[in-house]
Amino acid sequence: MPTPEAAPLPGHRGARLAVLDPATGEVVDEAPDQRPDELDAAVARSRRAWPGWRADPAARTSALRAAADAVETAGDGLARLLTREQGKPLAESCAEITRTAARLRYFADLAPRTRRIDDGRPVHSEVRWRPVGPVAAIVPWNFPIQLAAAKFAPALAAGNTVVLKPSPHTPLATRLLGSLLAAVLPEDVLTVVTGREPLGARLAAHPGIRHVTFTGSVPTGRAVAAAAAGSLARVTLELGGNDAAVLLDDVDVERIADRLFWSAFRNCGQVCMAVKRVYAPARLHAEVVDALAHRARSVTVGSGLDPDTRIGPVSNAPQLARVEAVTRQALEAGARAAAGGHRIDRAGHFFAPTILTDVPPDSPVVTGEQFGPVLPVLPYRSLDEAVDAANGTGFGLGGSVWSADPDRAEAVADRLECGTAWINHHAELSLAQPFAGVHDSGVGVAGGPWGLYGNLRPFVVHRPREEQA
Ligand code: NAD
């Protein structure tokens, strides 16, 4: 049975959050459930720390390098706590920590480029870059540390201070990270606030914040944009995805099956840019279903702390209920579970890895974001039909095309309406590349230099040439 959502502990009068281990349902620890006045104080401290932090780029570089070292040194303890509160296999938590250190190092060494503009007129103009001001970073529970760092590393590198709010389901590793970084960063440059709603809503609307950078679901993203409109703060929204994998008719199913399976089931399917729908040519459809169902039935599901586990529990009770509901809806509408289709009968939030076939295309598991260990496989008759379906949900985060001929796959990928298209793999990212969704999947650009400039504003100095020294 599912365990209750993070709830105030008895006797704490709502001032603490109990954080539950999704593999057991037991309390891992508590975090503060912060009040509005505590949030105001955090933003005020962040504003006071900003002038000092923005003033010295060289000091920022050293501090961010030291932050990367601190994350690496704390790696194992941080990863273990992350697995306990989030559920993912320990190896995936370790990878999350490693990537966080790498991201800090990447942004430590990235600086904006001053540019002179010569348009032929007797005017000298120079574009310089200034930090926008205190940044609010609001992140979800699926990659608590990695997604937080994707926000605060570029924001800090740009010379902003940051108030970071993790999900109330996963505040513990983030709080530990915040205290580790407090030892190497100047005071109040990075502040972690924790609590249940409306803490995030208040932070997004806070008049002391100049950029709200949010990762989460589409409906919350809309609410964040509306909240930030009051203070006209800049908004960056990294929202949900419903990525399609389109298999071409020359694909070698056995050869790609492992890669395709893990593109959908890593982190128990709780990845914004996971494969969430597979489109297979009608001729290959049964073979693709069998290959994926075989893997879904044989993979080891269990506690993330068990070294044999490849897929952990669904991360929290509301998400488990959601995954179960969309699966049940599809089954009631005529879909068939070639593997899974149900919860696993044990303590914690376990759902059997599920491959669905005969799914009505208008089923919410196809049109929406299941965000869990459930994958519909749909047949197509013409490539145009597959591309239209891939582009037809309103999401536009990523997509992939799989073929024995990568050039042919790339020509099809070019027709996908999304931010990133992969060929014969999925969800691989470099720290140096831009990451942006289109349509409902987001606003603004993260990643690489684009992520740095997303935290900066241009400042132009303009003067007649004869005035130059
Ligand atoms: P969510 O939208 O429910 O919550 C995200 C964060 O917003 C949490 O910290 C939450 O406490 C906070 N929040 C809730 N209501 C708020 C409000 N009114 N104002 C401000 N903040 C508020 O999302 P979730 O369930 O935590 O995460 C899953 C979603 O995140 C999925 O849709 C997934 O695709 C998306 N996601 C997107 C990316 C990306 O890069 N595009 C990456 C990871 C996850």
Side-chain angles (χ1 to χ4, degrees), residues 139-141 165 168 197 200-201 214-217 220 238-240 272 369:
V139 295
W141 44 259
K165 194 203 81 67
E197 282 313 304
F214 170 83
T215 299
S217 62
T220 312
E238 298 181 66
L239 306 181
C272 55
E369 194 189 21

Side-chain angles (χ1 to χ4, degrees), residues 138-143 147 165-169 195-204 214-221 223-224 227 237-241 270-273 276 316 319 369 371 395 397 435 437 441:
I138 303 175
V139 295
W141 44 259
N142 60 329
F143 289 89
L147 292 175
K165 194 203 81 67
S167 165
H169 294 293
R196 70 193 71 224
E197 282 313 304
L199 191 71
R202 283 183 199 277
L203 180 55
F214 170 83
T215 299
S217 62
V218 177
T220 312
V224 165
L237 305 173
E238 298 181 66
L239 306 181
Q270 303 163 129
V271 181
C272 55
M273 54 184 158
K276 300 208 173 95
N316 53 69
Q319 189 58 25
E369 194 189 21
F371 215 62
F395 292 93
L397 197 57
F435 183 64
S441 289

Side-chain angles (χ1 to χ4, degrees), residues 124-138:
H124 168 92
S125 60
E126 190 171 275
V127 185
R128 302 172 190 166
W129 294 92
R130 290 185 163 177
V132 287
V135 172
I138 303 175

Side-chain angles (χ1 to χ4, degrees), residues 254 261 288-299 338-339 355:
E254 247 334 286
F261 180 82
V288 174
V289 169
D290 285 351
L292 294 173
H294 167 69
R295 284 158 178 83
R297 282 191 295 266
S298 21
V299 69
I355 302 297

